[in-house]
Amino acid sequence: MTTVLAPGRRFVASDGATLHVSLRGPADSAVTLVLVHGWTQDHRTWDFVLPHLDPGLRVLRYDLRGHGGSTAARPGGATIARLADDLAELIAARVPDGPLVLAGHSMGGMTLMVLAERHPSLVKERLAGAAFVATSSGDMDQLTLGFPGVVGRGVTRFEPRLARLLARLRSDTLRLRPGLVRSVARRLVFGDRPGREQVDSVVEQLLAAHPASAGMFLDAIAAHRGVGGLGALCDVPSVVLAGEKDRLCPLPHAKVIADELPHAEFVRFPGAGHMLPQERPHEVARRLSVLTRAAQKP
């Protein structure tokens, strides 16, 4: 079995955006696993998951536009629909044949929903499995971060203001103190007792994201409605993974997705927050492996 890397770590989308790509594993793998990260993160989201996957599995990761090593999102190009089209184009160019298992974390899961709606032939002809990791199909404009009453309502009103503030920034990265970001991330996106290495990974990715792109995508997340795409995935073997202490995509949001996918496995992780690929990498990998093994059966 010969391991063949992608012919370059850059991919140019149809509108000119350049995406950073990582493709590992044998070219003749029976199935390809595509991993899609979330808002203000990048392909490194899955670093803790990869060691628990079969080394003979072909795995495609990439940075969404405006994140990591990819170019900034242009005005009008920071939408979930554009991310879905990027994914379809990337698959056509880098993994043109064979069954696929797609896994999306947070905004990455939203991207999968819209992909199913905008590219139904891809789902019908090639999709053998889907994993929705700490994500939501809608109502993100009502986010309270778990705070009750007037504080929660204040969070809901503040989010669009934050989006506008970020969208106006002209710097290439967020110029924030890593220590401050680490403290906020530990409390906001993690559950019980996160490891220092896991928190540092999230912080490093956030500080590498393009601020204006992050602001525009925050608006896109608030407007996201993915139930239609879930309808197109009803017959696809799926798993929905949710942290019981997730403040960003709370457990009821995951339950909505599971209810729309009657054949999906719904897995809840007590004590875990939003960053399941960092907090529960072995368990996430195990569920992905179930899907990839099933996709290889005749």
Side-chain angles (χ1 to χ4, degrees):
M1 184 178 292
T2 303
T3 298
V4 179
L5 297 178
R9 298 176 67 86
R10 314 297 286 176
F11 172 75
V12 180
S14 58
D15 69 345
T18 301
L19 308 182
H20 174 82
V21 179
S22 172
L23 180 60
R24 76 159 206 185
D28 57 353
S29 176
V31 61
T32 299
L33 173 64
V34 183
L35 302 174
V36 190
H37 67 81
W39 182 68
T40 72
Q41 299 293 282
D42 56 49
H43 74 282
R44 292 173 291 174
T45 288
W46 307 97
D47 279 356
F48 296 94
V49 174
L50 253 61
H52 302 291
L53 296 172
D54 180 352
L57 177 67
R58 199 177 196 204
V59 180
L60 172 65
R61 297 184 293 163
Y62 67 105
D63 296 344
L64 302 176
R65 58 177 62 206
H67 297 74
S70 295
T71 56
R74 300 171 181 174
T79 65
I80 309 297
R82 182 62 251 188
L83 295 183
D85 292 346
D86 286 346
L87 178 54
E89 292 174 13
L90 179 60
I91 288 171
R94 296 295 173 89
V95 194
D97 303 299
L100 302 166
V101 171
L102 306 182
H105 173 249
S106 195
M107 189 170 72
M110 300 175 193
T111 300
L112 303 191
M113 299 174 205
V114 179
L115 176 80
E117 196 164 20
R118 292 174 66 85
H119 301 275
S121 61
L122 177 62
V123 172
K124 181 178 179 180
E125 296 167 11
R126 301 191 56 195
L127 192 57
F132 297 94
V133 184
T135 190
S136 172
S137 65
D139 292 333
M140 292 294 286
D141 53 343
Q142 302 301 313
L143 191 66
T144 67
L145 299 181
F147 293 107
V150 66
V151 177
R153 291 192 293 274
V155 170
T156 301
R157 290 193 295 269
F158 175 71
E159 184 177 306
R161 298 175 187 173
L162 175 61
R164 290 193 295 271
L165 173 64
L166 290 171
R168 288 197 294 266
L169 294 179
R170 293 295 174 260
S171 59
D172 291 332
T173 58
L174 285 169
R175 296 170 182 172
L176 299 173
R177 293 174 56 188
L180 173 62
V181 179
R182 186 180 299 111
S183 178
V184 173
R186 181 183 292 274
R187 289 166 174 76
L188 186 61
V189 301
F190 284 93
D192 297 337
R193 298 183 297 277
R196 176 64 180 260
E197 186 180 8
Q198 285 73 27
V199 176
D200 284 349
S201 173
V202 169
V203 171
E204 289 170 7
Q205 293 172 65
L206 186 151
L207 293 177
H210 185 257
S213 300
M216 291 185 287
F217 276 121
L218 193 55
D219 275 338
I221 290 170
H224 171 66
R225 299 293 183 268
V227 173
L230 290 172
L233 295 167
C234 280
D235 296 326
V236 176
S238 304
V239 63
V240 179
L241 308 181
E244 291 190 353
K245 292 192 173 182
D246 190 338
R247 290 175 175 268
L248 269 65
C249 294
L251 195 62
H253 288 227
K255 186 64 166 58
V256 169
I257 298 172
D259 288 345
E260 291 291 329
L261 301 173
H263 304 297
E265 180 187 13
F266 183 31
V267 184
R268 299 166 52 159
F269 295 97
H274 186 63
M275 305 310 297
L276 290 179
Q278 284 89 354
E279 295 181 78
R280 301 290 188 272
H282 183 269
E283 292 91 336
V284 170
R286 185 158 67 87
R287 263 68 186 200
L288 297 180
S289 296
V290 169
L291 291 174
T292 57
R293 286 195 294 269
Q296 297 177 48
K297 294 180 180 179

